[in-house]
Amino acid sequence: MKKNSSTKSAFFIPRVLLGSVLILISLVFALFAFGVTPLGDDNFQADNGAGWLGRFVSAVGIHLNSNNLAALEVGRGSGAPTSKPSGEPAQGTANSGSAAAYAGPRNDLRGVQSVRTPPLRTMPAIPPLLAPTRIEREPIRPQPPTDLRGVDRAAQTFQGAVVSAPSPAGVSFEGVGTGIPGFVPTSNPPDTNGRVGAIQYVQWNNTSFAIWDKSGTRLYGPVAGNTLFQPLGGACATHNDGDPVVAYDILSGRWILSQFVVGASPDFSHQCVAVSATGDALGSYYLYDFVTDSTNFVDYPKIGVWPDGYYMTGHVFNPAGTSFLAGRIFVFERDKMLQGLPARQLQVDLKKYSGKPQYGFLPSDLDSLTPPPAGEAAFVIGPDPVTNNSLDSTRVAVTWGATPTITLSETKISATWSVPPCVGSPSNANFNCVPEPAPAVEADYLDNLSFHLMYRLPYRNFGGSPVQESLVGNISVKGSASNPKHGAIRWYEFRNAGSSSTTPSVFQASTYDPDNAYRWMGSIAMDKDHNIALGYSKSSTSIKPGIYVNGRLSTDPPNTMGAEATMVAGPGVQIGGGNRWGDYSAMTLDPVDQCTFFYTNEYLPTNGEFNWATKVSTYKFAACVPAPAWGTVTGTVISLPSRAPLSGVLVTLNNGYAGATNANGVYSILVPPGAYTAIATDAARNCTSASPPSANLVVTSGGTVTQDFSMTGGSNLESSGFTIDDSSGNHNGVINSNECVNLNVALKNNGCADERRISATLTTTTPGVTVTQGSSSYPNLDIDESDVNNVPFQIQTSDSFVCGTNIEFSLNLIYASGNKVVTFTVPTCTGGPGQTFGPDSLTTSDLTQSDRLGRDGQPSGCAGKGCPGGGFAGTKFYKTYTFTNNGGAPACFTVTINAALGGAGDIESAAYLNSYNPTNLCQNYLGDSGVVGLGTTVPNASYSFTVPANSNFVIVVNTTGTTTSSVFDGTVSGFFDFTPGPGPCPAH
């Protein structure tokens, strides 16, 4: 879980107030610095021309002002429910609530349709500061067992040998965070997560991601996470809720990028999953929106790669986050997702022990080039909810076919673990745990994330007879006796022998605890030669929180680590920020050389809050012998008979590795040495066959194989926009009633062959619209060419045409190779003048209400959002302003509130359909401003919503506390222009 919020709505500590001001100032400077890219970086390679901001606004359906900041209600303290307004106090405990009403896993076996994106590098980028942001407060975690007493006799209380630890491998760079100029964190903790692939490194921290090459050169970002999901639409596009996971499928060379959605409607929890179409993280993706629970909150999702599926673990809470209901396993249909086909998911809850659900578990994640034995069940391991003397083991077997099944074999592993101490004051067993030096005080101490096996659970198959399989994991535990008490890292190597029914056993395990410093937030991995690397955070009353790395050689005595190395000595301490830290970190292994570890974790560059930075650094054991270098398959794809190069053609090897052709028709695939079969396809281009149909290739280590393809098929004529010429009408650039308008409709040939002798007839069935000139030819269109009709089409609207109605057109095409119908829609009567209200202020003489909406930091867009609800007692003052959508179609309106700074208290604004009932804040709700600080530290805010045709809507402006307000005014835009045209089209 990711975002911190205050424990009470009115609790706004001075440091947070100062932070809001600094964020506002940073935003202004950042927007100047952005230029035409989200972070104004020369290495940024996305398509961010002069129109990127407009495209973003269009994508998320809101109007933004360069001075607007969706400030967040933030502060210290533990979490509150995500489905309730930000700042509302949590009620109940994690073991109480509505567990009796829990309906269990969601079993909908229909395939989820995918959407294929354009290459990521060409998609409009949403800058992190301009993304919709929800405040999601940590759900109340279940209480762990504490039956393990005394000193850990398996602890390593000494520093090991320097030669046993990995050494820096020469690459180190700033990840997403304040180490990148212009980046301003808006949430805490960072959920630090990254993965290395064959040619790139992808890091996704909380709600923003970026891409580097493996030498540390930034290629893309940071951008908001939901940038990737804009083509999908729905909750995945409008939410940007974080808890991300970046996985890499070594068996197919694909990226799996994912984040969750919580609080959506009608289905509460979603998992948004993007699978790359090729090995290029900047290329195209197949996007999926899996509903993980219709009514409950699925938290802390973690994904692991396995041959028969992408496995995910999650914690299921009630919607308020106050009752922990179940530990759940999800499996997504990998083979279909690699092809962009409809994919199913399976779900099952883990068993309860003594009535307590399992918590803090992880799925196995394949790191070795050698896959598990055919058909082997995946592994899930986590701490036992009843005793510290066991870990819980689950083997998960799935079958897909016509009737998919999921089967669990659940047992226990004899292994100890414990609960690390919380030494802060006031005592807070969930968060206030890890000490820091001054100026931090005990109330600032950090979350230790106890009761979790920490991400990841890497798996390796070393082969042999019998097969030797290893998994490594770690957990934060209690350290040796000290004052103050401290935590340590316990690590494990589990082994298995290729069976799907056996329980893995502990081959070696130890607690690394060489001194009285607090170590936590670990991540662990193993290289091809059995060497282990472990990264983590370390802090104490004399050591600022920093990043550290250790490890062991395969030849070291069992149960020992080497000498700890400093990756980043902590420059600053966290003050406030809700005590949150990390949530996870990521130790991953280069899939090519199988020796180089990439580790990422968080640190603070200076004392503060919401100023986190992250670092990515590489480490390697000198003794590790790199795996054979991968080879390259490359070639050019052309169309026959034109011989024009074809872009976007997918060349796929039989193991799933793939590459897409560029504008010159050239593709390239980096792949492990071996024998492969290659095919070339592009159904979207209407390419029906390839020559050769398939090609057998042998790729050698470090070698290059060239394989060209030629494609045949048909053209693919598609609408490519339109222009309006109303010079015979009222000259306002839009279609109105009683008006004659010329239309030019662009066509583009996105096909596999040239097209000739194109003619078109334009028709419409929209009432009140007549096509007066509907026939035209088009120029010949070669592959990828576009052009407009030779003779303008002409339409006439009647005097009774209902302004605001969208006109639906059909373009009936006949051409040398066939015919088709292309449809497109033209809006009407747009661009009416805005309407205003104010200037006004809220005083004690205004109307009063006893509650207000929560502010979730997310201004509503045209698609709306769920009502954030109330729960903030006290007398508030409000004014209302009524407007009307007089158009014959629904319209998206945008409200911009401008407020003088320095008011006695914040104001907020919301919109309602037809009427406003202050005793039922969600009745008729349309949208709201969502921001904190409006009228005190934030000068303006904008939000959008859609109003049905011929309907009134009410704008409410209210105080958020019991004080009066500064002077404010507002503008409402989105009205229709009802200026009629001068009459019929002139006679020809």
Side-chain angles (χ1 to χ4, degrees), residues 946-972:
T946 296
V947 179
N950 299 306
S951 298
N952 293 330
F953 58 98
V954 179
I955 304 301
V956 179
V957 180
N958 61 269
T959 61
T960 60
T962 59
T963 61
T964 58
S965 78
S966 63
V967 175
F968 63 86
D969 60 55
T971 300
V972 184

Side-chain angles (χ1 to χ4, degrees), residues 109-128:
L109 298 180
R110 293 174 296 180
V112 172
Q113 297 287 334
S114 73
V115 170
R116 182 175 175 179
T117 73
L120 177 62
R121 58 172 58 86
T122 70
M123 289 170 58
I126 301 175

Side-chain angles (χ1 to χ4, degrees), residues 153 233 249 314 329 375 440 509 534 560 570 602 678 709 788 848 853 907 910 968:
R153 299 185 183 280
D249 186 341
I329 305 297
L534 171 67
T560 60
E602 90 161 281
F709 292 91
V788 298
T848 62
L853 290 175
I907 60 173
F968 63 86

Side-chain angles (χ1 to χ4, degrees), residues 639-641 685-689 711-715 751-754 817:
S639 170
L640 291 180
R685 270 195 178 273
N686 203 18
C687 295
T688 56
S689 64
M711 311 289 288
T712 57
S715 62
C752 203
D754 300 340
S817 67

Side-chain angles (χ1 to χ4, degrees), residues 717-722 743-748 758-765 771 773-778 781 787-794 808-815 819-825:
L717 303 183
E718 296 180 320
S719 174
S720 185
F722 59 85
L743 279 178
N744 286 312
V745 182
L747 289 179
K748 184 178 181 183
I758 305 167
S759 63
T761 303
L762 184 71
T763 63
T764 182
T765 58
V771 178
Q773 200 302 102
S775 298
S776 178
S777 61
Y778 276 80
L781 294 176
D787 213 328
V788 298
N789 36 308
N790 291 321
V791 178
F793 300 116
Q794 190 175 78
E808 306 292 338
F809 287 106
S810 295
L811 194 63
N812 302 278
L813 301 173
I814 300 175
Y815 39 85
N819 60 83
K820 71 183 296 188
V821 177
V822 173
T823 60
F824 62 98
T825 301

Side-chain angles (χ1 to χ4, degrees), residues 659-884:
T661 55
N662 60 20
N664 297 316
V666 177
Y667 72 93
S668 181
I669 308 171
L670 188 64
V671 66
Y676 300 100
T677 301
I679 61 171
T681 59
D682 196 340
R685 270 195 178 273
N686 203 18
C687 295
T688 56
S689 64
S691 180
S694 63
N696 296 321
L697 312 171
V698 175
V699 179
T700 59
S701 177
T704 298
V705 176
T706 299
Q707 178 61 57
D708 297 333
F709 292 91
S710 57
M711 311 289 288
T712 57
S715 62
N716 183 19
L717 303 183
E718 296 180 320
S719 174
S720 185
F722 59 85
T723 58
I724 294 170
D725 175 9
D726 66 343
S727 57
S728 297
N730 61 16
H731 301 273
N732 66 355
V734 298
I735 299 175
N736 292 101
S737 62
N738 200 32
E739 186 171 25
C740 179
V741 175
N742 288 342
L743 279 178
N744 286 312
V745 182
L747 289 179
K748 184 178 181 183
N749 183 4
N750 293 312
C752 203
D754 300 340
E755 196 52 81
R756 300 291 182 261
R757 301 195 303 277
I758 305 167
S759 63
T761 303
L762 184 71
T763 63
T764 182
T765 58
T766 302
V769 182
T770 302
V771 178
T772 57
Q773 200 302 102
S775 298
S776 178
S777 61
Y778 276 80
N780 294 332
L781 294 176
D782 292 342
I783 293 172
D784 291 336
E785 279 191 340
S786 61
D787 213 328
V788 298
N789 36 308
N790 291 321
V791 178
F793 300 116
Q794 190 175 78
I795 67 168
Q796 171 72 55
T797 57
S798 69
D799 188 52
S800 61
F801 174 76
V802 179
C803 242
T805 302
N806 290 329
I807 304 177
E808 306 292 338
F809 287 106
S810 295
L811 194 63
N812 302 278
L813 301 173
I814 300 175
Y815 39 85
S817 67
N819 60 83
K820 71 183 296 188
V821 177
V822 173
T823 60
F824 62 98
T825 301
V826 178
T828 65
C829 304
T830 58
Q835 300 182 28
T836 62
F837 56 90
D840 266 327
S841 63
L842 294 168
T843 69
T844 56
S845 62
D846 282 309
L847 296 170
T848 62
Q849 58 190 42
S850 60
D851 198 358
R852 67 165 176 86
L853 290 175
R855 296 169 291 178
D856 61 2
Q858 180 177 320
S860 57
C862 292
K865 69 175 186 181
C867 177
F872 302 88
T875 300
K876 284 84 177 172
F877 307 107
Y878 74 94
K879 277 184 166 71
T880 62
Y881 309 89
T882 300
F883 301 89
T884 303

Side-chain angles (χ1 to χ4, degrees), residues 144-476:
T146 56
D147 58 320
L148 189 66
R149 307 291 182 182
V151 176
D152 183 356
R153 299 185 183 280
Q156 178 182 340
T157 58
F158 57 89
Q159 290 281 357
V162 173
V163 295
S164 295
S167 301
V171 175
S172 184
F173 54 91
E174 289 292 328
V176 174
T178 57
I180 295 178
F183 184 87
V184 179
T186 58
S187 50
N188 196 44
D191 294 355
T192 315
N193 185 251
R195 193 65 172 255
V196 59
I199 59 174
Q200 293 150 329
Y201 184 88
V202 179
Q203 188 193 49
W204 191 338
N205 292 349
N206 211 318
T207 56
S208 305
F209 72 92
I211 300 171
W212 293 258
D213 66 22
K214 285 165 65 172
S215 66
T217 300
R218 182 155 46 99
L219 307 174
Y220 180 87
V223 300
N226 65 331
T227 293
L228 181 56
F229 293 99
Q230 290 305 305
L232 187 59
C236 291
T238 58
H239 284 244
N240 193 41
D241 296 345
D243 254 28
V245 174
V246 180
Y248 183 77
D249 186 341
I250 193 172
L251 298 180
S252 65
R254 308 287 189 91
W255 293 94
I256 303 98
L257 277 59
S258 180
Q259 73 171 349
F260 73 0
V261 164
V262 293
S265 178
D267 296 302
F268 193 87
S269 293
H270 301 239
Q271 196 68 27
C272 308
V273 182
V275 177
S276 65
T278 69
D280 181 8
L282 289 168
S284 297
Y285 285 81
Y286 302 121
L287 305 181
Y288 292 86
D289 179 354
F290 292 103
V291 175
T292 50
D293 200 293
S294 293
T295 57
N296 296 303
F297 169 23
V298 178
D299 189 30
Y300 212 69
K302 296 292 172 282
I303 289 178
V305 173
W306 205 249
D308 60 6
Y310 296 130
Y311 285 66
M312 187 178 85
T313 54
H315 301 148
V316 183
F317 291 85
N318 68 342
T322 55
S323 179
F324 178 53
L325 304 176
R328 188 177 296 174
I329 305 297
F330 307 80
V331 187
F332 305 120
E333 197 170 10
R334 173 181 175 268
D335 65 329
K336 296 294 192 294
M337 297 172 76
L338 290 173
Q339 302 172 72
L341 298 174
R344 297 167 291 183
Q345 66 164 319
L346 294 170
Q347 298 185 9
V348 65
D349 285 352
L350 294 173
K351 71 184 294 185
K352 295 181 179 180
Y353 290 99
S354 299
K356 295 184 177 182
Q358 295 182 51
Y359 182 85
F361 44 91
L362 291 174
S364 49
D365 189 22
L366 178 63
D367 268 5
S368 60
L369 280 167
T370 303
E376 185 179 10
F379 300 81
V380 173
I381 299 175
D384 186 85
V386 178
T387 176
N388 300 130
N389 290 302
S390 296
L391 298 173
D392 294 332
S393 167
T394 303
R395 304 300 303 277
V396 187
V398 301
T399 61
W400 293 106
T403 306
T405 63
I406 182 167
T407 305
L408 305 184
S409 299
E410 296 179 271
T411 56
K412 291 178 179 287
I413 299 172
S414 179
T416 59
W417 61 283
S418 60
V419 179
C422 290
V423 300
S425 178
S427 178
N428 182 337
N430 278 330
F431 302 108
N432 198 4
C433 302
V434 180
E436 304 177 274
V441 297
E442 290 186 354
D444 296 316
Y445 286 4
L446 307 174
D447 181 12
N448 63 13
L449 216 69
S450 64
F451 200 10
H452 289 74
L453 203 66
M454 296 303 296
Y455 180 79
R456 294 177 300 131
L457 183 63
Y459 165 94
R460 298 195 69 86
N461 182 358
F462 288 99
S465 182
V467 171
Q468 192 259 291
E469 302 168 284
S470 287
L471 302 101
V472 288
N474 81 100
I475 191 170
S476 301

